[in-house]
Amino acid sequence: MKTCDVAILGAGSIGVPLAYYCAKKGLSVLVLDKEPSWGRGQNRAAIGGIRATHSDPAKIKIGLLSLDIARNMKEEHGLNIEWHQGGYMFVAYDEERERSFKDLLVVQKAAGLDIDWISPDRVLELSPGLNPEGLRGGTYSPGDGFASPLMTSTAFHKLALDAGAEFRFGETVTGFGIEGRRIRTVRTDAGEYSAGTFVNAAGAEAAGLGNLAGLELPVHPDLHEGGVTEPVRRFMEPMVVDMRGDDRSGNYYFYQAGTGQVIFCITPKPQIWGTDTDNTSAFLPHCVSRMVSLYPRLRNLKVRRTWRGCYPMTPDGLPVVGYPREPENLLLAVGMCGQGFMLGPGLGKILADTLTGDGARYGQVFEELSLYRKFEGMELLK
Amino acid sequence: MNRIVDHPILSAPEGRTSVTFSFDGAALSGFEGEAVSSALFAAGVQTFSVHPRGDAPQGIFCANGQCSQCTVLIDGVARKACITPLAEGMDVRTLHGFPELPARDAPRAAVSGETLSTDVLVIGGGPSGLAAAAELARLGLSVILADDKVSLGGKLVLQTHKFFGSEEDCYAGTRGIEIAKRLEEDIRSLPGVTVLENSPVAGLYKDRKAGVWRNYESYVLVDFKALVVAAGAREKSVLFPGNDLPGVYGAGAFQTLVNRDLVRAARRVLIIGSGNVGLIGAYHALQAGIEVAGIVEILPKVNGYKVHADKIVRMGVPVYLNTTVVSVEGNGKVERATVAEVDKDWRPILSTARTYEVDTVLVAAGLSPCDEFYRQAVDFGFLAVTAGDAEEIAEASSAMFGGRIAALSLAKLLGKKVDIDESWLAKREVLKSRPGDNLCRDEEIPTEFWKPVFFCTEEIPCNPCTTVCPTHSIQLKERKGSIMDLPYFEGSSCKGCTVCVAACPGLAMSLMRRVDEGWAEVVLPFEFKADFEPGARLPVLDQEGAFLEDAELLKKVFNRKYRTWILTLKVSRANAPRAIGIRVQSEAATRPLPAPRFEHLPDDAVVCRCERITVGEIVRFIRENAVTDVNQLKTLRVGMGACGSKTCSVLLPQVFRKAGIDPARTTAGTLRPLALEIPMKDLINEAAGRPL
């Protein structure tokens, strides 16, 4: 039986960077995924934003680390992930929104974020042609940006391969061999592997995987659709987020990728629970009509493709990270609530550090994201 | 102006309005409503954009709204030239790199989209889709038929040749353009059918709806109970260096330019592929006054019907077997093509290379079915059938039967009590059969009585000669027991009426009568401009194109029904039984350069045309990243372009093989809507909204 230090279950947004950071630290790493290749669960559906602009200190910390990694990927490893530091811009068209953004700024600044309120003129400078009617301004965090999830996962896969990690695709986990409080082996439909630590990085399927180890995880996927347009010359800088809702949707957001395409996504109302990632007809006309009314200039832009993916949601909109009481060697990195792509690189680094005894400085992260927290409230910038 | 004004079969549409427009600032004229791409070709413009990768000039490829290679800037907005109708005053420009999104133009209010409901949605208005829609409507089902073209009939509207098959079942002996007209009239007379013409289906959704880009300006959803996918087929791209130069395009695009829009798109072409599409492409070219340097076929045998190939060869077009294209080169456009024979492993033998001076290379190396919607429908668990080329690549005649059969099987699934006539199944099988055996015929001897001479020796599904003969003197000789059997003259009552000569789709029949000991009269069909008069001497050839003699023309008569000239020639008695063709192209057009001139850089062949990704780049990426999943090639942007991997997906198995990966071990790319790009303003139906 193959034995390794760490068996990572899930080769997605979390698992692939984690595999790299673990292998780089000298751990022997095996990554298992039922998909035929890396990033084919929900990573492929991520739209590509990476930000530290959250409302929760733990996520801010992870986000800052991810940003740092994305920003330096080219220089450090010579790998292009189409990073573009366009910033995030949350626009306000009503007083209430303005007030809540400004309230949040206090927390965000206290957490060390480079973020501030900007005037309507500055908003229009960053996204020329945005509807000026009723525009009150917005928050802008110039350090945030975006990268290609595809290229990022391919980059980490390549780095992980080069660092010695082993990937086994097309294998579905069927159970665990548990002895006492610890997992000894993981069984798949193709074999059995033993490891010192097992990592649940199974994204939308994290709860099912937890069940196999006798663990209840409060992770329930809901569905979101996204789309991409033809590429055009750069006409806007930041990710634009409109937090307003209407009767059929909540917020929506879009940005122009480093390669020129506009990528967009909307939060349906009510939430659509489930895992059926086939496209539906309602998304495109609705999302596009909201986008064009906010940004009339988009009217001539051609939509190229759409897709659907899962947000592995938790009751409070925050991930679950850390060890459960039992099995004590099943490290959880689940419930990313649709932000696995932006949290993955930073979290990978933190978990690899922790696995090699170098994680003392991340105590707060594990505390806040513990499986045993109260799961009250909802993250404000979800 | 490269307009065809004297086509032997087609007449220029009447009553068209001339309009003026500009291209890169220069004033040009064209016809209102014609495709911008055709107006540009007519004006000699073949470079539509400059690709941001490598500043490479891009020309047309599909001319069918599918591939996006003909994108130009029209009044400041990037649009596909092949689906944009020309209008007075248009400002058309070469698109350099990515387009600029107009900062301000004239927005209109969004209008909520309509949702139409129907029992059956038929995707595609070609022969199979039309047949299916008609059959379903007759059974009392409501049908919406969506087709991406203004005129129904699919590729029939591009076919100037007479069709094979049988008269009673599938309009054999009638030209495709005429069949299309009749089918369109039929469908429009049926009350249960709503036709959405000029409206491609852009996506299928899990909630059992289809998104239709109606009239290329608005977006409607169609709620359906069941689906017929009859979307036809598309040309397979071929890998050779230079395959993305302007001037390399599909034979279908060529047919569109030449036969639909009457544009003389080229001066001299080389054709890749000897299937019926390639063979007919050569015939269309010659009819349009375009020279054909030759047809290359990598296989050791002609891939299409022998009668087609024979007639093309007789017209003066060589078919080179065991031969492939090794390079197409030129400064910004095709100027020459180099071909070479292949060894037993299909590798080119460079010492056999020959270079031809051509301005166009037509890709006709087979078709792949447009079956994406069908596969998706099956995945989604919808009631769906497929018909025509989307089901299996074959002739239009079998597509019509396939459409009817598919419709009935679908009606059954929808709970209708129907029986499928067994004879239809049999007929469809015959109509779609590959050619059978090539048989020998005894040489006929001229006598004092008229008699037909047959030059079809290969078994194909075809019998018009037997049904048009007024004395019923032509019969199939039973061997297979179907219309695959060959026709023979039975009896002695040929009146010399020449109808069989005019009707034969293969131009493979003559009439012959002895005049005296030395001479015979021979009656031949001719489908080109007959700009010669009795007394002229014409080069007469045998079945496979060998020169027999220069024969004197005695008489020429135009058969209006079949739009075919009937020529009577005075041929020596010895040659008369073998005379069947008249060369129309001089040998000079087919001569290679004295010495080959090319670079051999096979890794430079472009696989993904939208993003200009080469074989070499993909092979390297596959090796470096241990790729076995096509989806991972998206990292290189393969398949991420405007066409949605329609063109590159069929090439990827060869590329994986080249990288040492068995294609059977690879995972296919995922298909997602939209099947073609749609501007946001159309998705929100701005056209119907008030100005803002």
Side-chain angles (χ1 to χ4, degrees):
Chain A
M1 192 190 325
K2 187 176 167 64
T3 300
C4 57
D5 297 328
V6 190
I8 299 172
L9 311 177
S13 299
I14 307 296
V16 180
L18 176 60
Y20 163 60
Y21 288 111
C22 286
K24 190 181 156 196
K25 288 235 163 194
L27 298 173
S28 60
V29 179
L30 173 68
V31 188
L32 299 172
D33 201 298
K34 70 177 178 126
E35 297 291 339
S37 61
W38 59 95
R40 296 302 301 159
Q42 309 315 313
N43 177 269
R44 55 140 196 101
I47 74 159
I50 305 178
R51 63 177 155 120
T53 321
H54 301 283
S55 63
D56 171 86
K59 270 169 70 177
I60 292 175
K61 188 160 201 162
I62 302 170
L64 285 168
L65 209 49
S66 285
L67 280 169
D68 203 45
I69 293 165
R71 212 178 274 134
N72 295 313
M73 182 62 85
K74 186 131 199 200
E75 202 170 316
E76 212 171 300
H77 302 289
L79 295 170
N80 178 20
I81 58 167
E82 288 176 0
W83 166 252
H84 183 85
Q85 190 169 319
Y88 262 62
M89 185 168 77
F90 287 71
V91 292
Y93 281 86
D94 55 57
E95 201 183 328
E96 189 198 333
R97 201 75 53 189
E98 178 176 346
R99 196 176 333 109
S100 77
F101 287 160
K102 283 181 170 168
D103 289 348
L104 197 54
L105 276 177
V106 180
V107 182
Q108 291 169 325
K109 283 185 168 172
L113 285 181
D114 175 15
I115 183 167
D116 222 327
W117 183 259
I118 56 171
S119 68
D121 284 350
R122 179 74 178 129
V123 168
L124 295 174
E125 205 176 285
L126 290 165
S127 47
L130 202 79
N131 192 349
E133 209 174 310
L135 177 65
R136 305 173 74 92
T139 61
Y140 179 54
S141 50
D144 295 335
F146 15 89
S148 156
L150 267 168
M151 298 183 83
T152 306
S153 69
T154 298
F156 278 114
H157 174 254
K158 173 91 169 60
L159 290 171
L161 277 184
D162 292 351
E166 186 186 343
F167 287 80
R168 296 200 169 204
F169 293 111
E171 287 194 32
T172 304
V173 173
T174 55
F176 293 100
I178 299 178
E179 279 175 27
R181 301 171 63 89
R182 293 180 67 81
I183 298 176
R184 293 292 168 202
T185 63
V186 60
R187 286 190 301 274
T188 73
D189 49 8
E192 187 168 9
Y193 312 96
S194 78
T197 304
F198 296 82
V199 183
N200 182 345
E205 293 170 53
L209 189 72
N211 266 330
L212 293 177
L215 196 61
E216 285 286 321
L217 296 175
V219 178
H220 303 284
D222 73 350
L223 293 156
H224 295 247
E225 289 181 62
V228 62
T229 69
E230 65 179 323
V232 291
R233 281 183 212 174
R234 181 156 299 286
F235 67 99
M236 62 184 286
E237 266 301 309
M239 170 85 76
V240 173
V241 187
D242 183 355
M243 293 295 285
R244 291 175 291 181
D246 65 7
D247 55 335
R248 293 165 60 193
S249 54
N251 60 24
Y252 62 98
Y253 37 95
F254 54 91
Y255 73 98
Q256 189 181 15
T259 39
Q261 304 88 339
V262 171
I263 300 174
F264 54 95
C265 187
I266 196 165
T267 305
K269 196 157 82 183
Q271 272 168 295
I272 304 164
W273 298 103
T275 53
D276 182 347
T277 55
D278 291 329
N279 296 68
T280 61
S281 67
F283 161 68
L284 201 49
H286 186 65
C287 185
V288 164
S289 81
R290 288 198 67 188
M291 285 166 65
V292 176
S293 79
L294 178 72
Y295 208 159
R297 192 175 182 180
L298 300 177
R299 59 191 292 278
N300 284 305
L301 198 57
K302 298 189 218 53
V303 174
R304 180 171 284 182
R305 218 92 61 222
T306 60
W307 61 88
R308 200 182 207 202
C310 299
Y311 280 23
M313 294 301 293
T314 62
D316 61 359
L318 294 175
V320 172
V321 177
Y323 291 100
R325 291 175 190 134
E326 216 176 316
E328 60 187 24
N329 63 337
L330 177 62
L331 180 56
L332 304 174
V334 301
M336 297 297 143
C337 303
Q339 297 174 332
F341 169 67
M342 66 173 82
L343 297 172
L347 194 56
K349 194 163 194 311
I350 291 172
L351 295 179
D353 283 352
T354 307
L355 282 167
T356 49
D358 197 12
R361 60 190 184 282
Y362 306 119
Q364 182 204 12
V365 168
F366 289 95
E367 210 167 289
E368 276 181 41
L369 304 181
S370 158
L371 175 61
Y372 304 104
R373 67 182 185 261
K374 283 191 176 139
F375 290 103
E376 287 169 340
M378 175 46 87
E379 215 246 334
L380 293 168
L381 295 183
K382 249 309 293 136
Chain B
M1 291 294 284
N2 305 310
R3 299 278 180 185
I4 300 167
V5 289
D6 52 356
H7 195 282
I9 308 292
L10 301 164
S11 17
E14 284 163 25
R16 290 200 289 186
T17 311
S18 269
V19 293
T20 56
F21 69 105
S22 68
F23 182 71
D24 286 343
L28 298 175
S29 71
F31 293 111
E32 187 175 51
E34 73 175 336
V36 168
S37 50
S38 292
L40 290 173
F41 257 81
V45 175
Q46 292 202 23
T47 297
F48 291 72
S49 66
V50 177
H51 200 283
R53 269 198 108 209
D55 287 331
Q58 301 289 288
I60 207 159
F61 186 68
C62 81
N64 196 25
Q66 297 282 312
C67 81
S68 292
Q69 277 211 205
C70 65
T71 301
V72 286
L73 272 184
I74 299 178
D75 297 331
V77 179
R79 298 170 74 177
K80 293 182 206 172
C82 76
I83 55 167
T84 306
L86 185 67
E88 174 68 39
M90 268 182 172
D91 177 9
V92 183
R93 289 175 187 277
T94 309
L95 174 62
H96 290 272
F98 295 152
E100 182 112 36
L101 209 50
R104 53 175 75 232
D105 51 1
R108 306 175 77 91
V111 173
S112 275
E114 221 182 324
T115 300
L116 308 173
S117 282
T118 185
D119 290 329
V120 184
L121 171 66
V122 178
I123 303 177
S128 63
L130 290 169
E135 212 60 54
L136 291 161
R138 276 186 213 116
L139 290 167
L141 293 160
S142 62
V143 176
I144 289 179
L145 181 141
D147 188 79
D148 62 348
K149 300 295 182 317
V150 178
S151 303
L152 300 180
K155 295 289 173 277
L156 286 173
V157 304
L158 309 179
Q159 307 308 331
T160 61
H161 65 286
K162 291 173 280 203
F163 270 61
F164 298 97
S166 69
E167 265 199 321
E168 52 164 11
D169 290 330
C170 50
Y171 308 97
T174 306
R175 297 181 193 276
I177 40 176
E178 303 294 335
I179 303 176
K181 270 185 213 148
R182 289 192 218 169
L183 294 176
E184 174 150 16
E185 279 163 22
D186 285 354
I187 206 77
R188 291 198 186 270
S189 70
L190 288 171
V193 181
T194 306
V195 177
L196 302 179
E197 67 280 311
N198 205 28
S199 304
V201 173
L204 279 192
Y205 301 102
K206 190 60 169 289
D207 46 329
R208 224 175 50 203
K209 290 188 182 69
V212 178
W213 191 9
R214 191 171 191 174
N215 234 344
Y216 294 96
E217 65 169 26
S218 65
Y219 187 67
V220 291
L221 293 174
V222 176
D223 189 328
F224 56 85
K225 294 197 180 83
L227 200 62
V228 176
V229 179
R234 61 177 72 92
E235 248 118 29
K236 287 181 185 163
S237 180
V238 178
L239 291 176
F240 53 84
N243 64 348
D244 69 324
L245 267 183
V248 177
Y249 51 86
F254 182 73
Q255 292 179 0
T256 300
L257 288 162
V258 171
N259 292 346
R260 188 192 70 185
D261 296 343
L262 290 156
V263 172
R264 183 168 290 119
R267 298 196 187 289
R268 187 186 295 158
V269 302
L270 178 82
I271 298 175
I272 305 174
S274 72
N276 283 342
V277 175
L279 297 171
I280 292 167
Y283 165 81
H284 291 155
L286 296 177
Q287 284 182 331
I290 295 165
E291 294 178 336
V292 183
I295 297 177
V296 295
E297 170 59 60
I298 195 164
L299 298 173
K301 180 179 181 303
V302 166
N303 211 13
Y305 288 167
K306 179 167 163 53
V307 272
H308 266 326
D310 286 348
K311 91 181 166 197
I312 301 307
V313 171
R314 291 196 293 268
M315 289 165 187
V317 177
V319 178
Y320 301 110
L321 301 176
N322 298 306
T323 300
T324 191
V325 174
V326 289
S327 181
V328 172
E329 298 171 12
N331 184 15
K333 60 181 170 38
V334 174
E335 289 169 356
R336 57 192 174 277
T338 302
V339 307
E341 288 165 28
V342 294
D343 64 17
K344 60 178 179 16
D345 300 317
W346 316 110
R347 283 176 309 216
I349 306 164
L350 296 182
S351 59
T352 65
R354 304 186 301 278
T355 302
Y356 295 92
E357 266 185 333
V358 293
D359 63 355
T360 300
V361 173
L362 297 185
V363 178
L367 299 169
S368 59
C370 300
D371 61 354
E372 293 84 358
F373 289 134
Y374 178 70
R375 285 188 271 141
Q376 231 173 344
V378 169
D379 266 0
F380 288 176
F382 298 165
L383 274 186
V385 291
T386 176
D389 278 351
E391 181 190 16
E392 184 180 351
I393 307 298
E395 291 291 300
S397 49
S398 88
M400 283 182 260
F401 265 92
R404 293 164 76 183
I405 294 164
L408 294 188
S409 32
L410 190 66
K412 258 189 183 170
L413 296 173
L414 285 166
K416 290 270 171 192
K417 281 204 150 167
V418 288
D419 289 312
I420 301 175
D421 189 337
E422 289 291 325
S423 72
W424 289 11
L425 300 170
K427 280 177 181 170
R428 180 186 52 167
E429 285 310 307
V430 169
L431 289 171
K432 74 178 185 193
S433 357
R434 296 280 305 147
D437 299 325
N438 190 28
L439 306 173
C440 274
R441 286 177 182 273
D442 296 332
E443 188 166 304
E444 299 287 342
I445 296 157
T447 67
E448 60 193 294
F449 303 108
W450 282 114
K451 72 163 116 174
V453 185
F454 301 89
F455 295 85
C456 58
T457 50
E458 184 186 60
E459 296 171 324
I460 55 166
C462 184
N463 74 353
C465 55
T466 65
T467 49
V468 299
C469 177
T471 60
H472 308 291
S473 306
I474 301 175
Q475 306 286 335
L476 300 183
K477 189 183 273 181
E478 181 146 341
R479 186 167 180 268
K480 290 211 156 70
S482 71
I483 60 168
M484 294 287 281
D485 288 333
L486 296 183
Y488 287 86
F489 179 55
E490 307 284 345
S492 55
S493 49
C494 175
K495 297 181 187 320
C497 73
T498 77
V499 177
C500 57
V501 173
C504 174
L507 306 185
M509 286 191 71
S510 72
L511 293 185
M512 168 173 79
R513 181 172 70 177
R514 192 182 71 205
V515 178
D516 58 34
E517 280 315 302
W519 300 98
E521 285 176 293
V522 174
V523 176
L524 298 181
F526 191 71
E527 292 193 312
F528 293 88
K529 206 179 164 203
D531 50 0
F532 36 68
E533 294 305 324
R537 299 190 82 81
L538 303 176
V540 171
L541 314 174
D542 76 0
Q543 181 180 349
E544 292 185 340
F547 176 76
L548 296 173
E549 65 186 53
D550 283 318
E552 184 190 339
L553 178 67
L554 299 174
K555 190 165 87 168
K556 66 170 191 182
V557 177
F558 188 63
N559 182 316
R560 285 200 181 282
K561 179 173 176 202
Y562 292 103
R563 303 201 74 164
T564 301
W565 285 100
I566 303 297
L567 308 180
T568 307
L569 294 137
K570 183 180 170 190
V571 182
S572 68
R573 197 184 166 288
N575 283 333
R578 290 188 283 143
I580 183 59
I582 293 165
R583 185 188 297 136
V584 293
Q585 173 172 270
S586 81
E587 279 174 62
T590 66
R591 239 172 255 146
L593 292 179
R597 183 178 161 207
F598 71 106
E599 279 185 289
H600 187 53
L601 302 164
D603 276 358
D604 287 359
V606 169
V607 179
C608 172
R609 303 181 73 94
C610 295
E611 302 284 342
R612 283 196 86 240
I613 316 292
T614 64
V615 175
E617 288 173 281
I618 301 175
V619 166
R620 194 163 57 244
F621 181 79
I622 290 172
R623 287 187 179 143
E624 281 176 3
N625 293 278
V627 176
T628 54
D629 181 351
V630 167
N631 290 294
Q632 297 301 347
L633 301 182
K634 293 175 185 170
T635 297
L636 279 184
R637 299 208 55 77
V638 171
M640 295 280 270
C643 92
S645 78
K646 294 185 191 101
T647 319
C648 63
S649 55
V650 293
L651 298 173
L652 292 175
Q654 314 173 36
V655 182
F656 272 105
R657 215 172 283 128
K658 204 163 173 178
I661 308 273
D662 175 5
R665 276 183 51 222
T666 61
T667 303
T670 311
L671 292 171
R672 293 279 183 181
L674 301 172
L676 68 181
E677 294 181 335
I678 303 183
M680 289 196 179
K681 65 176 186 224
D682 295 356
L683 289 167
I684 59 172
N685 304 301
E686 261 197 14
R690 66 189 156 77
L692 289 176

